[in-house]
Amino acid sequence: MCLDLSDGSAKVLIGYNVGGEPVVAFSDEHNIDGAIKGGGVSDPERLIEIVSSFHEVSDPSTKFSVSVSSGICLLLPPIGLKVYALDQTTNVVSETSEISKTDITNLMSMASKFSLPDPHTAIVDIIPDEFILESGERYANPPLGKVSRRLGMKAKIFVMPESVLNAYKRVLNQAGMRPLRIGLTPYCQAELFKTYPNLPTSYLLVDIGAKLTSVSLIGDGSCYASTSFMLGGDDLTGEIAEAFQIEFSYAENLKKDYGYDTRENKLNPPLLPGQSELTQNELNQIIEAHFERLDSMLHNAISTIIMSYGGKLNELPIIFTGGGSSLYGISSLFAKTFRERALFFPEIRSIGARERGFSPSLGMILTASRYMGSLEDNLRGVTSLTRPRVEKEGTKTVRSSRPDIDNL
């Protein structure tokens, strides 16, 4: 069971991994009434009430019913996200030098205890990129049963403000829930999009949510950096409601039903009965004005992400996701301002959760099924890699993570 808490809603998805594809058994979405603002918990009592309601999940139309008694996988927005790279080495404990689960646990435990540069941050997740034997052989997954006196690990450490992380943990605890795994949305989205063969592996990921838009740098399918700003789909809905003095729910329906449509229509009829001024042309004007603000803030966020790379990432493609990216016609607006980049608006293909807003939860299904246990016991299967050997004898180094630009 995955729980995605964001400014707009709480999304629940129950599913499993079949052959590397997420299969959905149940999905639902609940309004959270402003209990989260800017990615932070603003009304914990309301959020606790909502999360508590997920102990019993049912859908009478499909006769689906499940009681959640153990725990859930929690998804968090990348607020203040920082990613660090870690090189860690340990001696193999077995007298026969055969690598066991204990050696992997030792590496993960050591990684979870290193000193963070900012004492007000906390580790959310540790993702091993590869394991290295003394011979230089490299494995994408724990090389259990292989023989080596020493075992190295390259990993990424995902970190966010401790106050933000603890606020979500307190909500889950007081709602009687236990987090089996905590993941960040851009990492899980990147895991999902790895399974889409027509998408690039290195790109900028733009997630347009209800009130928060995040921009993440994905290199070779892995998240390296992220930033965000306060503007999203609900802001556009509010602007439509205010301009035409209609209820928010009516404005939301107008936005979803008509979107940004520039096709010629000589009649230009009203979109709502009794609202003669509310035509497609007027709706387009409101969307264009909103887009100008969104586009300006988006370009600034992208510049912030790539400025440390000397402009070498200026041609990276962009993948758009999140509910706000589903607005009809928005792709034509972005195409005008990102002429130098390839743009992708992938359709989510999992039956039962087709909306782009469910992409983090679908990615978490894959992630949770692949990595079991805690930060100290985060295991995968075994697959050999063939990459040049880079040795670090008995040392540990931590640095801000950057992708290899030449390989992006």
Side-chain angles (χ1 to χ4, degrees):
M1 178 177 179
C2 300
L3 176 61
D4 184 1
L5 299 176
S6 63
D7 282 26
S9 63
K11 299 181 184 67
V12 179
L13 188 145
I14 299 175
Y16 45 95
N17 182 347
V18 176
E21 296 283 345
V23 176
V24 178
F26 175 87
S27 65
D28 199 5
E29 187 171 3
H30 297 253
N31 189 293
I32 62 172
D33 301 324
I36 296 176
K37 293 182 179 179
V41 177
S42 58
D43 187 348
E45 296 301 321
R46 172 60 179 154
L47 202 55
I48 290 168
E49 178 185 352
I50 294 169
V51 175
S52 297
S53 68
F54 299 140
H55 281 284
E56 300 290 335
V57 177
S58 62
D59 181 3
S61 64
T62 61
K63 298 182 179 180
F64 177 89
S65 179
V66 63
S67 177
V68 182
S69 58
S70 56
I72 61 172
C73 297
L74 178 65
L75 281 150
L76 299 183
I79 301 300
L81 172 64
K82 293 188 180 300
V83 185
Y84 298 96
L86 171 73
D87 292 347
Q88 187 76 62
T89 306
T90 186
N91 293 320
V92 175
V93 298
S94 170
E95 293 183 359
T96 61
S97 297
E98 186 174 295
I99 297 171
S100 67
K101 180 179 176 180
T102 300
D103 301 305
I104 309 300
T105 301
N106 287 342
L107 280 174
M108 296 301 297
S109 180
M110 293 166 66
S112 67
K113 295 173 183 177
F114 83 92
S115 179
L116 292 169
D118 185 347
H120 301 294
T121 58
I123 296 174
V124 180
D125 209 352
I126 299 174
I127 306 298
D129 288 326
E130 61 178 355
F131 296 90
I132 309 169
L133 305 188
E134 189 175 33
S135 64
E137 292 179 80
R138 295 170 181 251
Y139 295 84
N141 309 304
L144 302 178
K146 299 291 183 179
V147 175
S148 178
R149 291 178 301 173
R150 296 177 66 79
L151 178 63
M153 178 182 72
K154 291 181 181 291
K156 291 186 181 67
I157 299 179
F158 293 84
V159 172
M160 71 186 306
E162 188 174 31
S163 59
V164 175
L165 179 61
N166 287 341
Y168 282 100
K169 285 184 174 180
R170 281 194 296 271
V171 166
L172 254 65
N173 180 59
Q174 294 181 38
M177 292 281 196
R178 179 172 66 91
L180 297 175
R181 183 179 179 88
I182 299 178
L184 291 157
T185 55
Y187 168 74
C188 292
Q189 287 168 323
E191 288 297 301
L192 174 67
F193 292 143
K194 282 181 183 179
T195 68
Y196 286 38
N198 296 326
L199 294 180
T201 57
S202 296
Y203 51 90
L204 294 168
L205 178 65
V206 176
D207 184 350
I208 306 175
K211 295 182 180 295
L212 187 75
T213 296
S214 65
V215 183
S216 305
L217 174 61
I218 309 297
D220 195 22
S222 182
C223 180
Y224 282 88
S226 185
T227 188
S228 57
F229 56 87
M230 291 294 296
L231 190 67
D234 278 5
D235 296 289
L236 173 56
T237 302
E239 291 161 16
I240 296 171
E242 182 178 357
F244 295 108
Q245 296 298 299
I246 57 177
E247 292 183 10
F248 188 91
S249 59
Y250 288 157
E252 180 71 11
N253 289 335
L254 279 175
K255 183 183 73 174
K256 290 182 177 180
D257 292 343
Y258 297 99
Y260 182 72
D261 191 346
T262 57
R263 292 175 297 180
E264 290 188 13
N265 190 331
K266 294 181 180 180
L267 296 177
N268 197 30
L271 302 182
L272 283 179
Q275 293 280 344
S276 59
E277 301 86 2
L278 183 48
T279 65
Q280 184 66 62
N281 290 343
E282 281 66 39
L283 181 60
N284 287 348
Q285 291 176 13
I286 297 173
I287 293 174
E288 287 171 354
H290 172 85
F291 179 80
E292 286 184 10
R293 285 201 301 146
L294 174 64
D295 185 61
S296 175
M297 298 174 78
L298 179 57
H299 273 81
N300 288 337
I302 290 175
S303 296
T304 300
I305 289 275
I306 67 176
M307 64 187 303
S308 62
Y309 296 92
K312 295 185 178 181
L313 306 182
N314 285 334
E315 295 183 359
L316 272 184
I318 302 178
I319 292 179
F320 290 90
T321 189
S325 70
S326 299
L327 177 72
Y328 178 80
I330 196 172
S331 59
S332 64
L333 291 169
F334 279 122
K336 295 177 182 178
T337 61
F338 288 104
R339 298 181 185 276
E340 74 283 6
R341 300 180 187 271
L343 307 183
F344 298 86
F345 293 80
E347 296 299 326
I348 304 304
R349 62 193 188 195
S350 299
I351 297 174
R354 297 277 191 176
E355 297 85 358
R356 289 190 184 126
F358 279 104
S359 60
S361 298
L362 293 167
M364 175 59 91
I365 293 292
L366 299 176
T367 300
S369 64
R370 189 178 305 137
Y371 311 114
M372 302 302 292
S374 66
L375 289 178
E376 291 77 25
D377 189 11
N378 208 350
L379 303 181
R380 296 188 255 183
V382 179
T383 304
S384 179
L385 293 181
T386 55
R387 280 184 269 183
R389 178 182 180 185
V390 179
E391 240 180 310
K392 284 185 177 290
E393 288 292 339
T395 62
K396 177 181 77 172
T397 60
V398 180
R399 64 185 186 279
S400 291
S401 181
R402 293 176 47 142
D404 183 347
I405 296 173
D406 294 333
N407 291 330
L408 285 179

